[in-house]
Amino acid sequence: MARGFAPHRARWHYRFHELMEPTPLERVARAGLYFDLLASPVGPIASFAIAALTIVGKRRLLEPERVVDRVEPALFSSTGATVKSGMRLLANAVDMRPDMASRALRLFAVVLEHKSTELQETAFGHIEKLAGAIDDEGRAAIEERLHIMSPALKFRADALLSRGHAPASTAAPRDCGGGSAQLRARAEALPPDLRRLAGVDAAITAMESHAFDIAAAPFNGMDIPRLDPSARHVPINCFEAFIDEALVAVEHPDDIERVERVLAAALRFSANRPANAERLLSPLGKALARRRSSLSNRPEWGTPLGALRIVLTACLGEETHGFVHKQDPSRAMWLRAHAAAEFIRKGESATQLSEPTHRGFWIDPVAAVERSLAAQVPGAPHALGVADKTLTLLRLAPDRREEALRAAGKIGDEWGVALRHALGGAEEDVRIDEALASAARGARVKLTDGARGSCASLSGVPGVGQFADVAASEALSPWAESRPEGQYLTSRALVDPDRVWPLEEFSDAFLLGNWARALWPQHPDLVFVAGTRGKCFDSEPGVCAIPEGVSLLLDSDVPSSPDALLLLARALGGAHKPTARAGVDALIAMIEDGRLDGESLGEVMHHFLALTHIVAKRWAPHLRDIADSSTVAAFVVRRAFERALAAPAPEPPVREIFSWIDLLRELCARTGVPVSDPQTRRGLEQHGGSGKAAKSARALLAFSPGKEPPLPFHVALEHALERRIARAERWLGWRRGSM
């Protein structure tokens, strides 16, 4: 096993080892070999080694110094169980040798780099138990990981590092660029539109009015620059690189940015292959065969893996058959893949217009026009087809549209008409394909004032159109309605509930990939609605994947919306712990960069409270973690609770609502701001009787600020203003970079 065999070859050896049933003493004699295997690049071998060491460690037969010296490789494992076992070995070693606490603490700090929030929390719990052993090296180990640990842990880390010492540099109140005067000077140098959209004006207004809730940045995603010059995709122009990327994409179809580049490269090489192409392509056939056997009979044709199978099988000279329902939003991707496969089997070249030019599935409008002009040159490869063109329109970035429109006048046929209309041109009296017309209307939508509506129907776009029937006048209050079991609520009339089902299967996202983010990047509500209807919220950990919409909200340029907040509310109130932790991180990020204010979050919480069947106690610890992440977050969560508990109180009363009231009281004490909203006070007064909720409500109503100084909100305001200015400056850099 130490020779680095492939997993399928090493499996026999460690299984045979366990079949021999070694005794604990025999395992002790081989402890050195087990420690060596912890550094194996093969995950199952490292898991085998840590399991063997755990058996010995439970009997306290391992020397503590040996554990501390050699367990570190297990803490870098990507397998959560291996890391947990390594931490248990460390904790046992410290119990046996307390003098090794400082060295063990530095090893626990290694786990703060892990991508799993749960493992970070476990490691930090061990660190807090060893707080008395923190030395300069231990302090440095924690400080250098502050920027990558979960936001929910940063407050605890700051408090730990400041015990008996000067506050950590990252936790100390910042001067924010030299004070508010310099911040205002930076704000004045920004273009007025970016200053408003980034929420800079709202933060300055809050500073001047001494408000405790800063209004969220009002951008909607289509009124800001989206083309980051540093995130431009480089096309795959080498056949060997295409093979390498394709092999990785088959194993990791959830990386749909890579899948898109591979699909475009396959079409690029359809008529121009090297002489040894057959030999180079042979590993692809084996990879696809392995993937099919591992997935059994899972339906994959509407997924990125299905598109890869269709196109790569065509590269191998074979043909595949599959079907995607006409109401499935991924049907457009399936149609595009089949069109590409036809060209590849014929050995003909074609131009894939929908290949993204930038990360986030964005297409530079100027590049789209250039591709279109090149495709109409006599003898040049033709465009791929209608499905490809509709995807192109739905991926057009808002940047450089006027420049692209001027150049698009030379594009003929119905595609030129549709493209010019999508770029903002006037309507032309020409009848064109319904799918192109619908996509063109959808591509020029400008959402305003946070109202996710006024969008023309995309009913003609294959599959995608089922999601786009939006009408601001039909914004509904769905929480008051009863819905059939399994049909979850949406905050706007974004979808036909009977037609959104194909995207709710996020449990397969890690196996097959999911096209949701790639279909219509101009309007991410598609991803949020699909995630809201997912099945993971009440599943056990490990049963299904976290909805993509939750992780998508970590991107500071993805706007907040009612559907995004509805998704996060379901995450916080669900039983699926990984999704709940991801929701906490997303909310912290949204508060930190100014996309969310207390009023908006509180409104969603209030509507959920009206459902009465929610489990209130699930929310409280998550919202406490959010409030603990920063001073701004404490004020935002305080206002959210104040808005959520406003009258009328739900009937019948929500069970364990006292957990919300107690947390609001705690936050009022921390911020020094009592409940002053008349509606909230009336809602609290409705909690009568002698139960926990009634007692908590009376205590909260009687609360008045004490002598303890409140949190320094003026410092938090400057920090919020600096973050918003930095975002506007970044947008300005993108705008200048695309000129």
Side-chain angles (χ1 to χ4, degrees), residues 317-329:
E318 302 171 7
E319 188 173 356
T320 53
H321 299 280
F323 175 75
V324 174
H325 196 277
K326 65 180 181 179
Q327 293 177 341
D328 191 327

Side-chain angles (χ1 to χ4, degrees), residues 468-555:
D469 296 324
V470 184
S473 61
E474 296 179 3
L476 44 90
S477 299
W479 299 277
E481 298 182 7
S482 61
R483 295 289 181 90
E485 184 178 356
Q487 291 189 8
Y488 299 109
L489 306 177
T490 60
S491 59
R492 300 282 174 181
L494 270 170
V495 299
D496 178 345
D498 296 327
R499 294 177 175 175
V500 74
W501 62 268
L503 278 180
E504 71 181 35
E505 298 293 343
F506 278 84
S507 60
D508 286 339
F510 65 104
L511 291 172
L512 307 171
N514 191 289
W515 282 124
R517 289 186 294 120
L519 290 174
W520 199 10
Q522 299 162 352
H523 300 286
D525 283 312
L526 166 64
V527 188
F528 304 144
V529 171
T532 301
R533 288 181 50 83
K535 299 177 180 178
C536 77
F537 300 102
D538 295 313
S539 302
E540 292 298 322
V543 174
C544 65
I546 297 171
E548 291 190 58
V550 178
S551 55
L552 182 62
L553 285 166
L554 293 171
D555 184 345

Side-chain angles (χ1 to χ4, degrees), residues 187-540:
E188 289 296 325
L190 294 168
D193 62 327
L194 295 184
R195 190 172 65 232
R196 178 185 65 82
L197 293 171
V200 174
D201 291 345
I204 292 176
T205 300
M207 292 180 70
E208 293 173 346
S209 61
H210 305 288
F212 289 115
D213 189 25
I214 313 172
F219 73 95
N220 60 53
M222 285 299 288
D223 47 8
I224 61 172
R226 302 308 300 258
L227 300 181
D228 179 2
S230 65
R232 189 175 185 90
H233 284 314
V234 178
I236 301 174
N237 291 315
C238 170
F239 194 78
E240 287 81 0
F242 158 63
I243 299 297
D244 292 340
E245 290 290 307
L247 289 170
V248 176
V250 169
E251 293 300 323
H252 302 281
D254 55 321
D255 184 358
I256 49 181
E257 298 266 9
R258 185 191 303 274
V259 171
E260 280 286 280
R261 295 176 66 240
V262 168
L263 294 177
L267 193 60
R268 192 174 294 122
F269 291 112
S270 59
N272 183 26
R273 297 185 183 182
N276 60 342
E278 184 176 353
R279 179 179 63 81
L280 294 173
L281 284 168
S282 60
L284 277 181
K286 297 177 182 178
L288 291 171
R290 286 197 305 270
R291 198 66 167 141
R292 182 184 296 279
S293 61
S294 66
L295 292 173
S296 185
N297 292 319
R298 293 178 183 271
E300 65 175 56
W301 298 114
T303 68
L305 180 58
L308 283 169
R309 189 178 300 284
I310 292 168
V311 172
L312 296 180
T313 301
C315 292
L316 297 169
E318 302 171 7
E319 188 173 356
T320 53
H321 299 280
F323 175 75
V324 174
H325 196 277
K326 65 180 181 179
Q327 293 177 341
D328 191 327
S330 62
R331 183 174 174 83
M333 315 300 283
W334 176 76
L335 290 171
R336 185 189 65 170
H338 267 289
E342 286 296 320
F343 277 98
I344 292 171
R345 276 192 291 271
K346 294 176 183 177
E348 299 176 2
S349 296
T351 300
Q352 182 172 307
L353 300 174
S354 61
E355 180 183 6
T357 61
H358 290 73
R359 188 171 58 241
F361 308 99
W362 293 108
I363 296 178
D364 183 346
V366 174
V369 171
E370 291 173 350
R371 292 172 181 175
S372 303
L373 290 171
Q376 70 179 15
V377 173
H382 295 290
L384 192 54
V386 173
D388 180 54
K389 291 175 180 177
T390 58
L391 289 170
T392 302
L393 297 176
L394 296 175
R395 293 174 171 185
L396 288 174
D399 313 59
R400 303 212 295 171
R401 288 199 175 191
E402 293 183 3
E403 179 185 349
L405 179 60
R406 290 192 295 269
K410 300 177 182 178
I411 302 175
D413 64 35
E414 63 177 4
W415 169 237
V417 175
L419 182 57
R420 286 190 290 273
H421 187 64
L423 293 172
E427 293 188 10
E428 302 179 32
D429 190 17
V430 179
R431 186 173 181 81
I432 64 173
D433 182 89
E434 181 185 357
L436 293 179
S438 299
R441 289 194 297 270
R444 60 186 289 160
V445 171
K446 286 281 188 177
L447 303 181
T448 58
D449 302 326
R452 316 297 291 183
S454 303
C455 174
S457 170
L458 296 187
S459 57
V461 179
V464 182
Q466 310 301 338
F467 287 87
D469 296 324
V470 184
S473 61
E474 296 179 3
L476 44 90
S477 299
W479 299 277
E481 298 182 7
S482 61
R483 295 289 181 90
E485 184 178 356
Q487 291 189 8
Y488 299 109
L489 306 177
T490 60
S491 59
R492 300 282 174 181
L494 270 170
V495 299
D496 178 345
D498 296 327
R499 294 177 175 175
V500 74
W501 62 268
L503 278 180
E504 71 181 35
E505 298 293 343
F506 278 84
S507 60
D508 286 339
F510 65 104
L511 291 172
L512 307 171
N514 191 289
W515 282 124
R517 289 186 294 120
L519 290 174
W520 199 10
Q522 299 162 352
H523 300 286
D525 283 312
L526 166 64
V527 188
F528 304 144
V529 171
T532 301
R533 288 181 50 83
K535 299 177 180 178
C536 77
F537 300 102
D538 295 313
S539 302
E540 292 298 322

